[in-house]
Amino acid sequence: MRITRPAMAVLALASAGILTACAGTGGTDPIDPDADITQQSLTVSIWADYYPADLAERFEAETGVRVTIVNHATNEDVVAKLTTGADSGIDVAFVSGQYAQALAEQGLLATLEKSLIPNEANLYPEAAQLDYDPGNVYSLPYAWGTTGLCYRPDLTGFAPTSWGDLLEPVDSLQGKVTMLATERWMVLPAQKYLGFSANTTDADEMAEVRAQLESTKPQLLAFDDTTFYAKLVSGEAAMVQAWDGWCNYGIAEDPSIEFVVPSEGSDLWTDTMTVLASSQNKEAAMAFLNFILEPEVHSWVAENILYKVPNRVAMEALDPSLIEAFPNMGITPAELLEQEVLVDLGEFTVEYSRLATEIQAG
């Protein structure tokens, strides 16, 4: 098993509201299922270290289509390219679910031609039930997971079960816990602890979330999106809020580390694959999505990045020892779907950004 640098996929799901000022510029060329894709080429934008290094070469060898891969660090980076009004030259973009939703609402994504993506049948049925795009009309899920508590039992002295264990830590854990810094996840524990939706746009509920976070902040070690698992391994932290895949980076270094989804529930985040409406190579783009969904290709994500993939055939083919070593890899699609799918909040996203900024700066 090779462990890469943690992918940036879930780091920056911030304001998709920036799209509201941008009109769709995509073309409406019809898709020809009989097109000769060997005459086409692709530019794919994806997070670095989030795909096999030889992906372009393997796809070209299988289909004859040349691929140029460009990397973006965050959702905002690629969204900025796609919404300037000029042709980005990008055919396929990997973005998180709520960003795909916002791009589709602006007419910037092509409707997927399912006859060219037969490998969609490899996905779990639950993968077509995600609120940002029911039925996967304009996106296909690439990786998915949830958020919970990652902790060292030898330091906590107990197994946490509630977001309250993080938000109102016992005396021995004060200054020994961290929360995520990215806005949707920073507010998530308080939202769930108080019984609210992770997609709430209710001003009164958000005021209660603010009060809870203001009360919690003095008891934290840090708001931390990138080094929290290292703090856990070193013992600087005893319990951290973590994406399940990132908790695995800690578990890889200290197998005693455990992960739990609090009893109040959590989120279901997804990173997706989309085809741009402006693409002049849509048939090859559909073939690329189909290639990714081949089990031997898609399983790379689970085996190397330790993220779950929504590909039933790929997950069932994994070495069982992987799930034994990283138990949260065994969270089932049905269990994931019990959590709340994050969706685009439109203009209200600004309120989340303001709250996160003010809490961390205050």
Side-chain angles (χ1 to χ4, degrees):
M1 182 190 308
R2 183 171 68 90
I3 298 176
T4 67
R5 180 177 67 82
M8 300 296 290
V10 293
L11 278 181
L13 302 183
S15 175
I18 60 175
L19 298 176
T20 57
C22 305
T25 58
T28 57
D29 295 341
I31 294 176
D32 176 9
D34 297 321
D36 180 4
I37 62 173
T38 64
Q39 301 304 306
Q40 300 183 1
S41 60
L42 292 177
T43 297
V44 176
S45 188
I46 186 172
W47 294 279
D49 301 329
Y50 209 36
Y51 56 92
D54 60 350
L55 179 62
E57 291 80 4
R58 292 168 61 185
F59 180 66
E60 182 173 358
E62 181 164 312
T63 65
V65 178
R66 294 183 60 186
V67 177
T68 299
I69 295 180
V70 296
N71 293 147
H72 55 257
T74 68
N75 282 292
E76 287 81 0
D77 288 345
V78 65
V79 165
K81 292 181 181 178
L82 301 178
T83 57
T84 60
D87 184 1
S88 66
I90 295 172
D91 299 288
V92 174
F94 285 65
V95 295
S96 297
Q98 58 266 49
Y99 283 79
Q101 176 186 0
L103 289 169
E105 289 174 351
Q106 293 299 312
L108 295 172
L109 299 185
T111 300
L112 299 181
E113 175 51 58
K114 299 301 183 70
S115 68
L116 299 178
I117 316 175
N119 285 334
E120 184 183 11
N122 293 332
L123 297 178
Y124 292 107
E126 290 86 347
Q129 302 173 32
L130 304 174
D131 290 344
Y132 63 82
D133 183 17
N136 296 326
V137 176
Y138 50 79
S139 67
L140 285 169
Y142 179 70
W144 62 359
T146 188
T147 308
L149 297 174
C150 188
Y151 65 101
R152 280 183 50 173
D154 60 320
L155 298 181
T156 60
F158 67 98
T161 59
S162 166
W163 287 117
D165 294 320
L166 175 78
L167 296 167
E168 298 172 359
V170 297
D171 291 348
S172 61
L173 295 184
Q174 292 186 13
K176 300 279 287 184
V177 300
T178 72
M179 292 182 65
L180 296 173
T182 304
E183 52 203 45
R184 295 296 296 272
W185 287 272
M186 195 196 86
V187 302
L188 174 70
Q191 289 174 319
K192 290 299 181 183
Y193 186 52
L194 296 169
F196 303 147
S197 166
N199 296 306
T200 185
T201 56
D202 184 289
D204 292 337
E205 291 181 352
M206 290 300 284
E208 291 189 50
V209 168
R210 173 187 289 272
Q212 177 64 63
L213 292 173
E214 288 175 342
S215 173
T216 297
K217 181 180 176 181
Q219 303 169 70
L220 298 177
L221 171 63
F223 292 103
D224 185 349
D225 271 352
T226 55
T227 64
F228 52 88
Y229 68 92
K231 289 183 172 69
L232 200 58
V233 172
S234 71
E236 185 179 8
M239 177 170 58
V240 299
Q241 179 193 2
W243 298 294
D244 49 353
W246 282 56
C247 187
N248 288 337
Y249 305 134
I251 293 173
E253 297 186 35
D254 180 350
S256 73
I257 290 175
E258 298 186 20
F259 177 84
V260 64
V261 177
S263 59
E264 298 90 350
S266 189
D267 69 315
L268 194 178
W269 60 262
T270 309
D271 292 332
T272 76
M273 305 180 286
T274 67
V275 176
L276 275 297
S278 57
S279 170
Q280 300 299 308
N281 306 290
K282 291 187 179 67
E283 294 84 2
M286 302 297 167
F288 182 80
L289 268 56
N290 191 60
F291 176 73
I292 293 292
L293 295 182
E294 291 181 6
E296 58 271 24
V297 177
H298 210 178
S299 63
W300 181 93
V301 179
E303 293 172 346
N304 291 274
I305 306 177
L306 304 178
Y307 283 20
K308 292 181 288 297
V309 296
N311 189 317
R312 178 184 57 79
V313 182
M315 288 296 290
E316 289 179 353
L318 293 180
D319 186 331
S321 65
L322 186 72
I323 295 176
E324 292 175 6
F326 305 98
N328 69 56
M329 296 285 290
I331 296 175
T332 67
E335 290 170 332
L336 277 180
L337 213 60
E338 292 175 359
Q339 310 309 325
E340 193 170 13
V341 177
L342 295 181
V343 300
D344 176 49
L345 301 178
E347 295 179 356
F348 199 83
T349 302
V350 175
E351 299 300 322
Y352 279 69
S353 299
R354 180 181 297 116
L355 174 59
T357 299
E358 292 176 354
I359 289 293
Q360 294 182 56

